[in-house]
Amino acid sequence: MSTHSYTLSGYGPRSRSVWDRLTGRDSVVWRLDWIMIGSGIVLSVIGSLLVWSATRNRTDLNQGDPYYFLTRHFLSLVVGLLLMGGMVWLGHRRVRGAVPVLYGATLVLALLVLTPLGATINGQRAWIQLGAGFSIQPAEFIKITVILAMAMLLAARVDAGDLDHPAHRTVLQSLGIAAAPIVVIMLMPDLGSVMVMVVIVLGVLLASGASNRWIIGLCTAGAGGAVLVWVLGLLDEYQINRFAAFANPALDPAGVGYNTNQARIAIGSGGLLGKGLMNGTQTTGQFVPEQQTDFVFTVAGEELGFVGGLLIIVLLGVVIWRACRIARESNELYSTVVAAGIIAWFAFQSFENIGMTLGIMPVAGLPLPFVSYGGTSMFAVWIAVGLLQSIRVQRPVAG
């Protein structure tokens, strides 16, 4: 029997033995970053407990089943892990060829939100209702496809060896790719997702080696655009109220400042070790709104205390740290840029979500990656982890 090995899809040597392919030192399983995957799973499990605590008594939401949200959160985690595995199996290089189709599909989904198919929740028309209690939020998938599309364009000639860094024309084209979905998301309006998209664009451009003039110009244009949006009154009233409450925490604590005020009370009451899971008075009393989604960190702060909240932050930091290692060790610009876009996304969204519960960032309606309830968000972050794992396992095997 022949014992030769061969290479397939950039994954390195594979013997003819199925067992060797699964367990060998050069196998895909061994080359996965299990520290990142393990941290993400622990975060999701913690999130399921926090979601359960926040919703078990919410008969107005859980349809009389205290395990309703817990079950769905675990189901989303399982599907997310399967999507991650599928992404590793496909490989980011194969996905690269389908990026134009994926980008167009997510943009169409986002446009459908603006039609009668769209559903409005908490002032945002950002979901497509599928029936039976299921909905999708296209903005979560757009984060992925914009990262992939910009990376494909910016890295094409650099990876081919034609240029040392992206040309100005290429940078301008990549900004056009990002601008279209950002405009659609603004029309929903989903200001939180727009903020994440802007940070993603900056992270992608920085990693691509584009001229610093583009970064400075974009930051300047962004600041000017924010002022213009405010002056022209393009923000909805609920968005203006959120910024007003952030600027003045004492403003109308029973009205526009209610969310942030109750969030700080919940976190502050947890102390060092918390009141114990399921024993939070603010959580049980349903004083903090949207605790299973946007304000899930308040449950951790109250019931698990400073130690529990710190654990979540450390685990998020581990995921981002491992992603930084993958970006640094990549041998092609495309992979580096994809990883950098995901890093910018995870880092900013985590900081914004936790920051708004602590009162150091405005309320923007963003879920906490891996932790908050929400199928689309869970699917998107695990697809992103799958992309990172694919970049890692497709590195050339050291000879």
Side-chain angles (χ1 to χ4, degrees):
M1 182 178 66
S2 173
T3 58
H4 73 279
S5 62
Y6 58 92
T7 299
L8 179 64
S9 301
Y11 281 88
R14 293 171 57 186
S15 74
R16 295 182 58 146
S17 165
V18 174
W19 178 255
D20 286 345
R21 275 185 269 160
L22 292 175
T23 62
R25 295 294 299 183
D26 292 329
S27 69
V28 172
V29 173
W30 272 97
R31 298 177 70 185
L32 291 173
D33 189 334
W34 287 105
I35 295 177
M36 175 190 290
I37 295 172
S39 297
I41 292 175
V42 173
L43 280 168
S44 296
V45 171
I46 292 174
S48 68
L49 296 175
L50 300 179
V51 167
W52 183 27
S53 178
T55 59
R56 73 190 194 285
N57 294 324
R58 293 294 304 271
T59 54
D60 56 322
L61 297 176
N62 62 24
Q63 302 181 18
D65 179 7
Y67 301 100
Y68 177 80
F69 283 92
L70 175 66
T71 303
R72 291 165 71 96
H73 191 82
F74 261 117
L75 178 61
S76 295
L77 171 59
V78 171
V79 174
L81 290 172
L82 291 174
L83 290 171
M84 180 199 71
M87 187 59 64
V88 174
W89 177 76
L90 284 172
H92 67 288
R93 292 177 184 141
R94 289 178 184 169
V95 172
R96 185 175 186 172
V99 166
V101 175
L102 296 174
Y103 173 84
T106 55
L107 186 57
V108 169
L109 282 176
L111 288 170
L112 288 177
V113 171
L114 304 178
T115 71
L117 295 175
T120 302
I121 301 176
N122 295 331
Q124 294 180 352
R125 192 177 184 83
W127 286 264
I128 297 176
Q129 199 69 40
L130 301 178
F134 290 94
S135 60
I136 60 172
Q137 189 176 6
E140 294 295 328
F141 295 133
I142 282 178
K143 296 169 187 174
I144 299 172
T145 56
V146 165
I147 290 172
L148 291 172
M150 291 186 70
M152 183 179 69
L153 189 60
L154 290 168
R157 297 190 64 185
V158 177
D159 284 338
D162 298 333
L163 296 172
D164 293 330
H165 53 77
H168 292 303
R169 181 178 179 181
T170 304
V171 174
L172 189 60
Q173 290 172 338
S174 71
L175 290 176
I177 287 174
I182 287 176
V183 170
V184 175
I185 294 172
M186 288 182 66
L187 294 174
M188 291 179 182
D190 185 354
L191 185 60
S193 293
V194 169
M195 293 166 61
V196 175
M197 292 293 298
V198 170
V199 172
I200 285 174
V201 170
L202 291 175
V204 164
L205 290 182
L206 281 170
S208 72
S211 171
N212 289 334
R213 286 179 290 179
W214 284 103
I215 308 299
I216 296 171
L218 285 174
C219 291
T220 303
V227 173
L228 187 62
V229 166
W230 184 273
V231 171
L232 295 179
L234 299 180
L235 295 176
D236 284 357
E237 183 179 358
Y238 82 93
Q239 293 172 324
I240 296 174
N241 289 340
R242 285 178 173 179
F243 281 105
F246 168 67
N248 181 11
L251 177 66
D252 192 10
V256 297
Y258 178 81
N259 288 14
T260 53
N261 186 51
Q262 293 298 322
R264 286 194 294 271
I265 292 174
I267 293 175
S269 66
L272 180 62
L273 300 176
K275 299 177 180 177
L277 195 64
M278 312 293 174
N279 293 322
T281 53
Q282 292 290 111
T283 299
T284 303
Q286 303 173 18
F287 290 102
V288 184
E290 307 302 329
Q291 274 196 294
Q292 74 275 21
T293 53
D294 302 346
F295 286 89
V296 70
F297 191 75
T298 63
V299 186
E302 181 181 26
E303 299 188 347
L304 304 181
F306 174 80
V307 172
L310 181 61
L311 175 62
I312 291 174
I313 294 173
V314 168
L315 289 171
L316 287 167
V318 169
V319 171
I320 295 168
W321 161 55
R322 302 301 292 185
C324 288
R325 286 195 58 177
I326 290 172
R328 186 178 67 249
E329 295 172 358
S330 172
N331 65 329
E332 60 181 5
L333 184 61
Y334 172 71
S335 300
T336 300
V337 173
V338 170
I342 295 172
I343 292 166
W345 163 19
F346 283 9
F348 176 77
Q349 190 161 314
S350 299
F351 177 76
E352 163 61 30
N353 178 277
I354 295 173
M356 73 181 187
T357 64
L358 299 175
I360 61 175
M361 291 293 286
V363 176
L366 290 171
L368 185 59
F370 301 100
V371 181
S372 291
Y373 175 79
T376 311
S377 173
M378 185 72 79
F379 301 159
V381 296
W382 281 109
I383 290 173
V385 171
L387 283 168
L388 291 170
Q389 298 301 318
S390 172
I391 293 170
R392 175 181 169 86
V393 302
Q394 291 194 18
R395 293 200 311 260
V397 180

